[in-house]
Amino acid sequence: MKPFSYRRASDIASACASATQPTAKFVAGGTNLVDLMKLQIEAPAQLVDITRLPLARIEETAEGGLRIGALVTNSAAAVDMRVRRRYPLLAQAILSGASTQLRNKATTGGNLLQRTRCPYFYDTSKPCNKRAPGSGCAALEGLNRMNAVLAVSDNCIAAHPSDMAVAMTALDAVVETAAPDGSTRAIPIDALYRSPGDTPHIETVLAPGELITSVLLPPPPPGRQVYRKVRDRASFAFALVSVAAVLELDGNRVRSSRVAFGGISYKPWRSPDAEAALEGAPATRASFDAAGTAALQSARGFGHNDFKIPLARRTLRATLTQAASLA
C-alpha cells in the first residue's frame, strides 16, 4: 500500500472541501476501497474519513417514503422494519450480497460506488481501460464469464456488482449529494452511472468532492416485490444475473410493472422494454417470456458470457412468476 494522508471530517462541508482533488477519496466502511488500495489499484493521496458525519439514520419522509443516510450500514437497512415491510425488494437484495461481516461494515453510499469485479480490473499485469485509461480491454477476448452483455462499449465490458443498487433502481430511488460549494443535488439512481463509452474510468456523474449524503426512496409502488439472484454458490458470490421486479395485477392482467437487472450491464439496468411488453398483458409464461425477449433484444455476448442472455430471460420469467403467485 502506498503512503497517503488521512483526515477525519467533522461535518459535511469540511468533508467535501477536503476531497476536491482527484487524488482524494472518501472512506467509511472501506470494504472495497481498502482492498483496492492494498492491490495498488487505487492509490489515493488523501483519505477523508466520513464515519463521524450525521448520515447514519433512516428517516420517514412527508410523502410516505424513506430517506436512508449514506452511512447506514447494509445490515441496518436490511433489518429495519420499515424497509422490510414497505420495500421487501430492497431487504432481499441486500441480504443476498456479501457476508454478514461485510454487511455490518459496508455503507449505503459506498455500496452504490463500489467498483467492478471484472478480473482484469484486479489483475495489474493485464490491460484495463477502467484501471489504466487507454491501455485496452483484456476482457473482450479473455475470460469474460462475469462481464456485461448490455450497453457496453469496445473499451469496456465490465459489469456493475451491486445488489442493493438493482433494487433501488426498480424502486425509483434518488441519490442526494452535497458539493464543496455548498450546493446539493438529487440524482435519479438510473442517471448516477455513466456509460463506459471511451472513458470507462469515469464511472459516475459525481464531481470531485461531491459526497452522497442519502438515498431517497419514494412511497412504495403498488404490487408485489421480488428479488432473485443467480450465482455460482449460495452465498458470498456476485450475481451472474439478478432481477428486481415489482408486479401489480388487475385480475390476471398486468396493470403495472418495474424491472431491473443486475450483472449484465455497467449499471443496474432498468428495462423499459420489458415493462412496455408487460403492460396490459396476461400474467402468463408466454407474456413473461416476451418481456424477457424485449429486455435482451440488444444484448451482445463475448464468448464466455454468452449464457447470460438466455439466463437473464429465464430469470426474469421466474421472478415475474413468483411475483404473480404472491399477488
Side-chain angles (χ1 to χ4, degrees):
M1 186 180 290
K2 294 183 178 180
F4 57 89
S5 63
Y6 170 86
R7 178 179 181 131
R8 176 176 288 165
S10 58
D11 54 58
I12 293 173
S14 64
C16 294
S18 300
T20 55
Q21 296 301 314
T23 54
K25 293 282 185 180
F26 296 118
V27 64
T31 56
N32 186 207
L33 177 59
V34 173
D35 285 344
L36 294 174
M37 290 174 66
K38 290 177 180 177
L39 296 169
Q40 297 190 11
I41 294 167
E42 292 271 17
Q46 176 164 278
L47 287 185
V48 181
D49 184 343
I50 60 171
T51 55
R52 300 294 179 90
L53 302 185
L55 302 174
R57 297 179 60 188
I58 300 177
E59 301 173 315
E60 301 273 354
T61 67
E63 296 76 23
L66 291 177
R67 176 172 282 106
I68 302 176
L71 295 179
V72 172
T73 66
N74 288 184
S75 290
V79 302
D80 187 282
M81 289 308 299
R82 295 165 294 183
V83 173
R84 295 176 66 181
R85 288 172 179 155
R86 292 187 236 168
Y87 309 96
L89 178 63
L90 179 57
Q92 294 165 19
I94 293 172
L95 292 174
S96 74
S99 65
T100 302
Q101 294 90 337
L102 286 171
R103 291 195 298 268
N104 287 344
K105 289 293 291 181
T107 62
T108 298
N111 186 291
L112 297 180
L113 299 179
Q114 65 182 297
R115 310 215 50 195
T116 183
R117 263 56 180 193
C118 175
Y120 296 104
F121 175 70
Y122 278 82
D123 186 350
T124 56
S125 70
K126 300 294 191 297
C128 171
N129 288 320
K130 190 177 284 293
R131 173 172 36 79
S135 62
C137 177
L140 286 170
E141 297 182 359
L143 298 174
N144 49 42
R145 183 170 178 270
M146 296 297 293
N147 290 73
V149 296
L150 270 176
V152 293
S153 76
D154 290 337
N155 292 297
C156 182
I157 59 171
H160 195 273
S162 176
D163 290 292
M164 184 186 77
V166 180
M168 286 184 169
T169 298
L171 294 169
D172 283 338
V174 174
V175 178
E176 298 179 319
T177 71
D181 63 2
S183 63
T184 61
R185 282 205 289 174
I187 307 169
I189 191 169
D190 199 45
L192 176 66
Y193 303 102
R194 284 174 52 113
S195 172
D198 57 3
T199 56
H201 60 293
I202 305 175
E203 297 177 342
T204 73
V205 298
L206 299 180
E210 189 171 9
L211 174 68
I212 293 177
T213 56
S214 58
V215 176
L216 177 65
L217 295 177
R224 295 291 184 171
Q225 305 175 22
V226 176
Y227 186 77
R228 181 178 291 261
K229 180 177 180 177
V230 180
R231 47 189 163 175
D232 286 326
R233 55 183 184 270
S235 66
F236 203 56
F238 294 99
L240 296 169
V241 169
S242 64
V243 172
V246 182
L247 189 68
E248 181 191 18
L249 298 183
D250 182 5
N252 191 45
R253 290 192 172 272
V254 177
R255 174 178 290 172
S256 66
S257 66
R258 299 185 187 183
V259 172
F261 290 91
I264 64 172
S265 187
Y266 68 93
K267 67 175 182 176
W269 187 258
R270 183 75 177 265
S271 180
D273 292 327
E275 295 168 4
L278 288 167
E279 185 175 359
T284 61
R285 178 185 178 122
S287 295
F288 298 160
D289 282 340
T293 298
L296 277 298
Q297 60 185 319
S298 61
R300 174 168 62 120
F302 295 88
H304 296 282
N305 68 351
D306 290 351
F307 74 96
K308 283 194 173 190
I309 299 172
L311 178 61
R313 295 190 189 108
R314 294 195 302 269
T315 304
L316 177 60
R317 181 181 68 205
T319 309
L320 292 172
T321 300
Q322 182 181 353
S325 67
L326 292 173

mmCIF file of all heavy atoms in Angstrom, residues 156-203:
data_model
loop_
_atom_site.group_PDB
_atom_site.id
_atom_site.type_symbol
_atom_site.label_atom_id
_atom_site.label_comp_id
_atom_site.label_asym_id
_atom_site.label_seq_id
_atom_site.Cartn_x
_atom_site.Cartn_y
_atom_site.Cartn_z
ATOM 1 N N CYS A 156 -14.787 -1.293 -22.839
ATOM 2 C CA CYS A 156 -15.027 -1.863 -21.512
ATOM 3 C C CYS A 156 -16.314 -2.672 -21.514
ATOM 4 O O CYS A 156 -17.360 -2.193 -21.990
ATOM 5 C CB CYS A 156 -15.112 -0.751 -20.469
ATOM 6 S SG CYS A 156 -15.344 -1.345 -18.780
ATOM 7 N N ILE A 157 -16.244 -3.881 -20.963
ATOM 8 C CA ILE A 157 -17.443 -4.706 -20.808
ATOM 9 C C ILE A 157 -17.621 -5.130 -19.344
ATOM 10 O O ILE A 157 -18.207 -6.165 -19.041
ATOM 11 C CB ILE A 157 -17.414 -5.944 -21.733
ATOM 12 C CG1 ILE A 157 -16.193 -6.816 -21.452
ATOM 13 C CG2 ILE A 157 -17.454 -5.526 -23.191
ATOM 14 C CD1 ILE A 157 -16.241 -8.170 -22.200
ATOM 15 N N ALA A 158 -17.124 -4.302 -18.432
ATOM 16 C CA ALA A 158 -17.244 -4.604 -17.003
ATOM 17 C C ALA A 158 -18.694 -4.461 -16.555
ATOM 18 O O ALA A 158 -19.443 -3.605 -17.038
ATOM 19 C CB ALA A 158 -16.355 -3.673 -16.186
ATOM 20 N N ALA A 159 -19.099 -5.300 -15.599
ATOM 21 C CA ALA A 159 -20.448 -5.260 -15.046
ATOM 22 C C ALA A 159 -20.430 -4.621 -13.662
ATOM 23 O O ALA A 159 -19.479 -4.774 -12.903
ATOM 24 C CB ALA A 159 -21.020 -6.672 -14.958
ATOM 25 N N HIS A 160 -21.504 -3.915 -13.345
ATOM 26 C CA HIS A 160 -21.634 -3.324 -12.012
ATOM 27 C C HIS A 160 -21.987 -4.431 -11.015
ATOM 28 O O HIS A 160 -22.840 -5.267 -11.287
ATOM 29 C CB HIS A 160 -22.729 -2.254 -12.013
ATOM 30 C CG HIS A 160 -22.695 -1.370 -10.811
ATOM 31 N ND1 HIS A 160 -23.337 -1.692 -9.636
ATOM 32 C CD2 HIS A 160 -22.089 -0.182 -10.584
ATOM 33 C CE1 HIS A 160 -23.131 -0.737 -8.744
ATOM 34 N NE2 HIS A 160 -22.375 0.192 -9.294
ATOM 35 N N PRO A 161 -21.369 -4.446 -9.825
ATOM 36 C CA PRO A 161 -21.523 -5.594 -8.929
ATOM 37 C C PRO A 161 -22.629 -5.495 -7.882
ATOM 38 O O PRO A 161 -22.934 -6.480 -7.217
ATOM 39 C CB PRO A 161 -20.165 -5.648 -8.224
ATOM 40 C CG PRO A 161 -19.746 -4.222 -8.136
ATOM 41 C CD PRO A 161 -20.265 -3.562 -9.388
ATOM 42 N N SER A 162 -23.241 -4.329 -7.697
ATOM 43 C CA SER A 162 -24.128 -4.132 -6.547
ATOM 44 C C SER A 162 -25.449 -4.876 -6.685
ATOM 45 O O SER A 162 -26.060 -4.910 -7.756
ATOM 46 C CB SER A 162 -24.424 -2.648 -6.352
ATOM 47 O OG SER A 162 -25.350 -2.433 -5.318
ATOM 48 N N ASP A 163 -25.912 -5.473 -5.579
ATOM 49 C CA ASP A 163 -27.278 -5.994 -5.487
ATOM 50 C C ASP A 163 -28.232 -4.899 -5.027
ATOM 51 O O ASP A 163 -29.313 -4.728 -5.586
ATOM 52 C CB ASP A 163 -27.343 -7.168 -4.495
ATOM 53 C CG ASP A 163 -26.638 -8.413 -5.004
ATOM 54 O OD1 ASP A 163 -27.132 -9.018 -5.968
ATOM 55 O OD2 ASP A 163 -25.588 -8.776 -4.443
ATOM 56 N N MET A 164 -27.834 -4.173 -4.001
ATOM 57 C CA MET A 164 -28.680 -3.129 -3.439
ATOM 58 C C MET A 164 -29.096 -2.114 -4.492
ATOM 59 O O MET A 164 -30.252 -1.681 -4.546
ATOM 60 C CB MET A 164 -27.934 -2.419 -2.304
ATOM 61 C CG MET A 164 -28.755 -1.377 -1.576
ATOM 62 S SD MET A 164 -27.784 -0.446 -0.366
ATOM 63 C CE MET A 164 -26.897 0.661 -1.469
ATOM 64 N N ALA A 165 -28.159 -1.721 -5.356
ATOM 65 C CA ALA A 165 -28.451 -0.702 -6.356
ATOM 66 C C ALA A 165 -29.476 -1.182 -7.377
ATOM 67 O O ALA A 165 -30.223 -0.373 -7.939
ATOM 68 C CB ALA A 165 -27.165 -0.275 -7.064
ATOM 69 N N VAL A 166 -29.523 -2.487 -7.629
ATOM 70 C CA VAL A 166 -30.513 -3.031 -8.565
ATOM 71 C C VAL A 166 -31.917 -2.837 -7.993
ATOM 72 O O VAL A 166 -32.838 -2.391 -8.677
ATOM 73 C CB VAL A 166 -30.236 -4.521 -8.857
ATOM 74 C CG1 VAL A 166 -31.273 -5.084 -9.831
ATOM 75 C CG2 VAL A 166 -28.835 -4.701 -9.429
ATOM 76 N N ALA A 167 -32.070 -3.183 -6.718
ATOM 77 C CA ALA A 167 -33.366 -2.997 -6.071
ATOM 78 C C ALA A 167 -33.749 -1.522 -6.030
ATOM 79 O O ALA A 167 -34.899 -1.153 -6.295
ATOM 80 C CB ALA A 167 -33.326 -3.578 -4.660
ATOM 81 N N MET A 168 -32.796 -0.665 -5.693
ATOM 82 C CA MET A 168 -33.087 0.765 -5.621
ATOM 83 C C MET A 168 -33.473 1.329 -6.990
ATOM 84 O O MET A 168 -34.289 2.248 -7.080
ATOM 85 C CB MET A 168 -31.886 1.520 -5.059
ATOM 86 C CG MET A 168 -31.703 1.312 -3.564
ATOM 87 S SD MET A 168 -30.357 2.315 -2.922
ATOM 88 C CE MET A 168 -30.608 2.127 -1.143
ATOM 89 N N THR A 169 -32.912 0.774 -8.045
ATOM 90 C CA THR A 169 -33.270 1.213 -9.396
ATOM 91 C C THR A 169 -34.724 0.868 -9.695
ATOM 92 O O THR A 169 -35.466 1.691 -10.257
ATOM 93 C CB THR A 169 -32.327 0.578 -10.424
ATOM 94 O OG1 THR A 169 -30.985 1.010 -10.173
ATOM 95 C CG2 THR A 169 -32.715 0.956 -11.846
ATOM 96 N N ALA A 170 -35.147 -0.326 -9.317
ATOM 97 C CA ALA A 170 -36.545 -0.713 -9.532
ATOM 98 C C ALA A 170 -37.500 0.104 -8.672
ATOM 99 O O ALA A 170 -38.673 0.267 -9.020
ATOM 100 C CB ALA A 170 -36.720 -2.201 -9.237
ATOM 101 N N LEU A 171 -37.002 0.632 -7.560
ATOM 102 C CA LEU A 171 -37.833 1.421 -6.651
ATOM 103 C C LEU A 171 -37.793 2.921 -6.956
ATOM 104 O O LEU A 171 -38.359 3.726 -6.212
ATOM 105 C CB LEU A 171 -37.379 1.179 -5.208
ATOM 106 C CG LEU A 171 -37.600 -0.242 -4.676
ATOM 107 C CD1 LEU A 171 -36.883 -0.433 -3.349
ATOM 108 C CD2 LEU A 171 -39.090 -0.560 -4.545
ATOM 109 N N ASP A 172 -37.122 3.310 -8.046
ATOM 110 C CA ASP A 172 -37.019 4.718 -8.443
ATOM 111 C C ASP A 172 -36.353 5.580 -7.373
ATOM 112 O O ASP A 172 -36.763 6.723 -7.103
ATOM 113 C CB ASP A 172 -38.394 5.308 -8.781
ATOM 114 C CG ASP A 172 -38.888 4.878 -10.152
ATOM 115 O OD1 ASP A 172 -38.051 4.494 -10.982
ATOM 116 O OD2 ASP A 172 -40.106 4.911 -10.384
ATOM 117 N N ALA A 173 -35.307 5.061 -6.769
ATOM 118 C CA ALA A 173 -34.597 5.810 -5.734
ATOM 119 C C ALA A 173 -33.906 7.034 -6.316
ATOM 120 O O ALA A 173 -33.568 7.081 -7.506
ATOM 121 C CB ALA A 173 -33.575 4.903 -5.056
ATOM 122 N N VAL A 174 -33.675 8.013 -5.459
ATOM 123 C CA VAL A 174 -32.980 9.242 -5.823
ATOM 124 C C VAL A 174 -31.790 9.407 -4.890
ATOM 125 O O VAL A 174 -31.923 9.287 -3.665
ATOM 126 C CB VAL A 174 -33.908 10.466 -5.711
ATOM 127 C CG1 VAL A 174 -33.138 11.765 -5.945
ATOM 128 C CG2 VAL A 174 -35.066 10.348 -6.708
ATOM 129 N N VAL A 175 -30.617 9.661 -5.466
ATOM 130 C CA VAL A 175 -29.387 9.820 -4.696
ATOM 131 C C VAL A 175 -29.198 11.302 -4.399
ATOM 132 O O VAL A 175 -29.147 12.128 -5.314
ATOM 133 C CB VAL A 175 -28.177 9.267 -5.473
ATOM 134 C CG1 VAL A 175 -26.888 9.487 -4.695
ATOM 135 C CG2 VAL A 175 -28.379 7.781 -5.769
ATOM 136 N N GLU A 176 -29.081 11.642 -3.123
ATOM 137 C CA GLU A 176 -28.908 13.029 -2.714
ATOM 138 C C GLU A 176 -27.443 13.284 -2.386
ATOM 139 O O GLU A 176 -26.791 12.480 -1.707
ATOM 140 C CB GLU A 176 -29.794 13.329 -1.504
ATOM 141 C CG GLU A 176 -31.278 13.151 -1.843
ATOM 142 C CD GLU A 176 -32.199 13.413 -0.679
ATOM 143 O OE1 GLU A 176 -31.877 12.988 0.457
ATOM 144 O OE2 GLU A 176 -33.258 14.046 -0.899
ATOM 145 N N THR A 177 -26.924 14.406 -2.858
ATOM 146 C CA THR A 177 -25.495 14.704 -2.697
ATOM 147 C C THR A 177 -25.281 16.121 -2.192
ATOM 148 O O THR A 177 -26.160 16.977 -2.287
ATOM 149 C CB THR A 177 -24.733 14.533 -4.023
ATOM 150 O OG1 THR A 177 -25.104 15.587 -4.929
ATOM 151 C CG2 THR A 177 -25.018 13.182 -4.670
ATOM 152 N N ALA A 178 -24.065 16.355 -1.686
ATOM 153 C CA ALA A 178 -23.617 17.689 -1.303
ATOM 154 C C ALA A 178 -22.291 17.957 -1.991
ATOM 155 O O ALA A 178 -21.450 17.059 -2.120
ATOM 156 C CB ALA A 178 -23.457 17.792 0.210
ATOM 157 N N ALA A 179 -22.075 19.182 -2.435
ATOM 158 C CA ALA A 179 -20.867 19.566 -3.170
ATOM 159 C C ALA A 179 -20.025 20.541 -2.352
ATOM 160 O O ALA A 179 -20.510 21.155 -1.396
ATOM 161 C CB ALA A 179 -21.254 20.201 -4.504
ATOM 162 N N PRO A 180 -18.750 20.710 -2.718
ATOM 163 C CA PRO A 180 -17.866 21.624 -1.976
ATOM 164 C C PRO A 180 -18.354 23.065 -1.927
ATOM 165 O O PRO A 180 -18.047 23.787 -0.976
ATOM 166 C CB PRO A 180 -16.540 21.514 -2.737
ATOM 167 C CG PRO A 180 -16.572 20.159 -3.358
ATOM 168 C CD PRO A 180 -18.010 19.933 -3.724
ATOM 169 N N ASP A 181 -19.101 23.504 -2.927
ATOM 170 C CA ASP A 181 -19.578 24.887 -2.934
ATOM 171 C C ASP A 181 -20.858 25.068 -2.114
ATOM 172 O O ASP A 181 -21.448 26.148 -2.103
ATOM 173 C CB ASP A 181 -19.800 25.381 -4.365
ATOM 174 C CG ASP A 181 -20.884 24.591 -5.107
ATOM 175 O OD1 ASP A 181 -21.490 23.686 -4.504
ATOM 176 O OD2 ASP A 181 -21.111 24.890 -6.296
ATOM 177 N N GLY A 182 -21.293 24.003 -1.430
ATOM 178 C CA GLY A 182 -22.479 24.082 -0.597
ATOM 179 C C GLY A 182 -23.768 23.709 -1.296
ATOM 180 O O GLY A 182 -24.826 23.604 -0.659
ATOM 181 N N SER A 183 -23.711 23.495 -2.599
ATOM 182 C CA SER A 183 -24.915 23.121 -3.340
ATOM 183 C C SER A 183 -25.253 21.654 -3.105
ATOM 184 O O SER A 183 -24.415 20.855 -2.664
ATOM 185 C CB SER A 183 -24.717 23.372 -4.840
ATOM 186 O OG SER A 183 -23.671 22.559 -5.346
ATOM 187 N N THR A 184 -26.489 21.304 -3.395
ATOM 188 C CA THR A 184 -26.946 19.921 -3.261
ATOM 189 C C THR A 184 -27.594 19.483 -4.573
ATOM 190 O O THR A 184 -28.030 20.320 -5.378
ATOM 191 C CB THR A 184 -27.947 19.772 -2.105
ATOM 192 O OG1 THR A 184 -29.100 20.599 -2.363
ATOM 193 C CG2 THR A 184 -27.313 20.165 -0.779
ATOM 194 N N ARG A 185 -27.635 18.184 -4.758
ATOM 195 C CA ARG A 185 -28.285 17.629 -5.949
ATOM 196 C C ARG A 185 -29.137 16.433 -5.563
ATOM 197 O O ARG A 185 -28.850 15.735 -4.580
ATOM 198 C CB ARG A 185 -27.248 17.163 -6.980
ATOM 199 C CG ARG A 185 -26.634 18.255 -7.784
ATOM 200 C CD ARG A 185 -26.134 17.729 -9.133
ATOM 201 N NE ARG A 185 -24.959 16.887 -9.053
ATOM 202 C CZ ARG A 185 -24.438 16.231 -10.109
ATOM 203 N NH1 ARG A 185 -25.030 16.292 -11.292
ATOM 204 N NH2 ARG A 185 -23.342 15.497 -9.957
ATOM 205 N N ALA A 186 -30.177 16.187 -6.357
ATOM 206 C CA ALA A 186 -30.986 14.977 -6.253
ATOM 207 C C ALA A 186 -30.898 14.272 -7.603
ATOM 208 O O ALA A 186 -31.442 14.757 -8.598
ATOM 209 C CB ALA A 186 -32.432 15.320 -5.905
ATOM 210 N N ILE A 187 -30.194 13.155 -7.644
ATOM 211 C CA ILE A 187 -29.898 12.460 -8.895
ATOM 212 C C ILE A 187 -30.679 11.144 -8.945
ATOM 213 O O ILE A 187 -30.469 10.269 -8.085
ATOM 214 C CB ILE A 187 -28.391 12.157 -9.007
ATOM 215 C CG1 ILE A 187 -27.561 13.420 -8.791
ATOM 216 C CG2 ILE A 187 -28.069 11.515 -10.353
ATOM 217 C CD1 ILE A 187 -26.072 13.147 -8.618
ATOM 218 N N PRO A 188 -31.584 10.957 -9.908
ATOM 219 C CA PRO A 188 -32.222 9.649 -10.042
ATOM 220 C C PRO A 188 -31.149 8.578 -10.175
ATOM 221 O O PRO A 188 -30.166 8.757 -10.911
ATOM 222 C CB PRO A 188 -33.038 9.786 -11.334
ATOM 223 C CG PRO A 188 -33.268 11.260 -11.474
ATOM 224 C CD PRO A 188 -32.044 11.924 -10.926
ATOM 225 N N ILE A 189 -31.301 7.479 -9.471
ATOM 226 C CA ILE A 189 -30.224 6.493 -9.426
ATOM 227 C C ILE A 189 -29.880 5.982 -10.818
ATOM 228 O O ILE A 189 -28.721 5.662 -11.101
ATOM 229 C CB ILE A 189 -30.582 5.339 -8.474
ATOM 230 C CG1 ILE A 189 -29.345 4.459 -8.229
ATOM 231 C CG2 ILE A 189 -31.759 4.528 -8.986
ATOM 232 C CD1 ILE A 189 -29.513 3.449 -7.121
ATOM 233 N N ASP A 190 -30.851 5.938 -11.708
ATOM 234 C CA ASP A 190 -30.577 5.466 -13.067
ATOM 235 C C ASP A 190 -29.676 6.420 -13.833
ATOM 236 O O ASP A 190 -29.052 6.037 -14.812
ATOM 237 C CB ASP A 190 -31.903 5.279 -13.820
ATOM 238 C CG ASP A 190 -31.741 4.376 -15.032
ATOM 239 O OD1 ASP A 190 -31.098 3.321 -14.914
ATOM 240 O OD2 ASP A 190 -32.257 4.733 -16.114
ATOM 241 N N ALA A 191 -29.602 7.683 -13.366
ATOM 242 C CA ALA A 191 -28.746 8.683 -14.022
ATOM 243 C C ALA A 191 -27.413 8.859 -13.306
ATOM 244 O O ALA A 191 -26.589 9.671 -13.739
ATOM 245 C CB ALA A 191 -29.471 10.022 -14.093
ATOM 246 N N LEU A 192 -27.181 8.112 -12.225
ATOM 247 C CA LEU A 192 -25.941 8.273 -11.461
ATOM 248 C C LEU A 192 -24.727 7.733 -12.214
ATOM 249 O O LEU A 192 -23.631 8.297 -12.127
ATOM 250 C CB LEU A 192 -26.075 7.547 -10.121
ATOM 251 C CG LEU A 192 -24.834 7.513 -9.221
ATOM 252 C CD1 LEU A 192 -24.476 8.919 -8.742
ATOM 253 C CD2 LEU A 192 -25.077 6.589 -8.024
ATOM 254 N N TYR A 193 -24.931 6.654 -12.969
ATOM 255 C CA TYR A 193 -23.808 5.950 -13.590
ATOM 256 C C TYR A 193 -23.625 6.366 -15.039
ATOM 257 O O TYR A 193 -24.585 6.531 -15.788
ATOM 258 C CB TYR A 193 -24.038 4.440 -13.510
ATOM 259 C CG TYR A 193 -24.244 3.968 -12.093
ATOM 260 C CD1 TYR A 193 -25.520 3.688 -11.607
ATOM 261 C CD2 TYR A 193 -23.167 3.826 -11.221
ATOM 262 C CE1 TYR A 193 -25.716 3.276 -10.299
ATOM 263 C CE2 TYR A 193 -23.349 3.412 -9.908
ATOM 264 C CZ TYR A 193 -24.628 3.137 -9.458
ATOM 265 O OH TYR A 193 -24.821 2.742 -8.154
ATOM 266 N N ARG A 194 -22.362 6.531 -15.439
ATOM 267 C CA ARG A 194 -22.014 6.934 -16.801
ATOM 268 C C ARG A 194 -21.758 5.714 -17.675
ATOM 269 O O ARG A 194 -21.116 4.751 -17.245
ATOM 270 C CB ARG A 194 -20.761 7.803 -16.794
ATOM 271 C CG ARG A 194 -20.992 9.237 -16.332
ATOM 272 C CD ARG A 194 -19.665 9.965 -16.220
ATOM 273 N NE ARG A 194 -18.875 9.837 -17.454
ATOM 274 C CZ ARG A 194 -18.588 10.847 -18.259
ATOM 275 N NH1 ARG A 194 -19.022 12.056 -17.986
ATOM 276 N NH2 ARG A 194 -17.848 10.663 -19.318
ATOM 277 N N SER A 195 -22.234 5.785 -18.908
ATOM 278 C CA SER A 195 -21.937 4.744 -19.890
ATOM 279 C C SER A 195 -20.428 4.689 -20.126
ATOM 280 O O SER A 195 -19.758 5.732 -20.140
ATOM 281 C CB SER A 195 -22.659 5.064 -21.191
ATOM 282 O OG SER A 195 -22.259 4.191 -22.223
ATOM 283 N N PRO A 196 -19.852 3.482 -20.326
ATOM 284 C CA PRO A 196 -18.395 3.388 -20.472
ATOM 285 C C PRO A 196 -17.852 4.168 -21.653
ATOM 286 O O PRO A 196 -16.838 4.863 -21.517
ATOM 287 C CB PRO A 196 -18.136 1.888 -20.609
ATOM 288 C CG PRO A 196 -19.446 1.289 -20.988
ATOM 289 C CD PRO A 196 -20.490 2.155 -20.365
ATOM 290 N N GLY A 197 -18.537 4.112 -22.814
ATOM 291 C CA GLY A 197 -18.056 4.846 -23.979
ATOM 292 C C GLY A 197 -16.563 4.682 -24.162
ATOM 293 O O GLY A 197 -16.024 3.586 -24.083
ATOM 294 N N ASP A 198 -15.860 5.794 -24.377
ATOM 295 C CA ASP A 198 -14.401 5.732 -24.490
ATOM 296 C C ASP A 198 -13.713 6.249 -23.223
ATOM 297 O O ASP A 198 -12.503 6.469 -23.208
ATOM 298 C CB ASP A 198 -13.920 6.516 -25.715
ATOM 299 C CG ASP A 198 -14.368 7.978 -25.704
ATOM 300 O OD1 ASP A 198 -15.015 8.395 -24.711
ATOM 301 O OD2 ASP A 198 -14.075 8.690 -26.672
ATOM 302 N N THR A 199 -14.510 6.433 -22.135
ATOM 303 C CA THR A 199 -13.932 6.850 -20.847
ATOM 304 C C THR A 199 -14.480 5.969 -19.714
ATOM 305 O O THR A 199 -15.126 6.477 -18.785
ATOM 306 C CB THR A 199 -14.243 8.332 -20.551
ATOM 307 O OG1 THR A 199 -15.676 8.520 -20.598
ATOM 308 C CG2 THR A 199 -13.566 9.247 -21.553
ATOM 309 N N PRO A 200 -14.254 4.670 -19.763
ATOM 310 C CA PRO A 200 -14.833 3.794 -18.747
ATOM 311 C C PRO A 200 -14.300 4.024 -17.341
ATOM 312 O O PRO A 200 -14.891 3.540 -16.376
ATOM 313 C CB PRO A 200 -14.472 2.384 -19.244
ATOM 314 C CG PRO A 200 -13.307 2.571 -20.148
ATOM 315 C CD PRO A 200 -13.500 3.909 -20.785
ATOM 316 N N HIS A 201 -13.185 4.756 -17.215
ATOM 317 C CA HIS A 201 -12.645 5.034 -15.885
ATOM 318 C C HIS A 201 -13.460 6.100 -15.155
ATOM 319 O O HIS A 201 -13.318 6.265 -13.944
ATOM 320 C CB HIS A 201 -11.184 5.488 -15.995
ATOM 321 C CG HIS A 201 -10.989 6.734 -16.799
ATOM 322 N ND1 HIS A 201 -11.217 6.789 -18.155
ATOM 323 C CD2 HIS A 201 -10.595 7.991 -16.435
ATOM 324 C CE1 HIS A 201 -10.958 8.004 -18.598
ATOM 325 N NE2 HIS A 201 -10.590 8.755 -17.567
ATOM 326 N N ILE A 202 -14.315 6.835 -15.879
ATOM 327 C CA ILE A 202 -15.219 7.800 -15.244
ATOM 328 C C ILE A 202 -16.564 7.103 -15.088
ATOM 329 O O ILE A 202 -17.316 6.955 -16.043
ATOM 330 C CB ILE A 202 -15.345 9.082 -16.085
ATOM 331 C CG1 ILE A 202 -13.969 9.677 -16.361
ATOM 332 C CG2 ILE A 202 -16.232 10.100 -15.375
ATOM 333 C CD1 ILE A 202 -13.992 10.880 -17.294
ATOM 334 N N GLU A 203 -16.876 6.691 -13.882
ATOM 335 C CA GLU A 203 -17.983 5.760 -13.685
ATOM 336 C C GLU A 203 -19.301 6.413 -13.273
ATOM 337 O O GLU A 203 -20.366 5.830 -13.466
ATOM 338 C CB GLU A 203 -17.583 4.717 -12.633
ATOM 339 C CG GLU A 203 -16.403 3.881 -13.090
ATOM 340 C CD GLU A 203 -15.917 2.888 -12.051
ATOM 341 O OE1 GLU A 203 -16.259 3.064 -10.851
ATOM 342 O OE2 GLU A 203 -15.212 1.949 -12.420
#
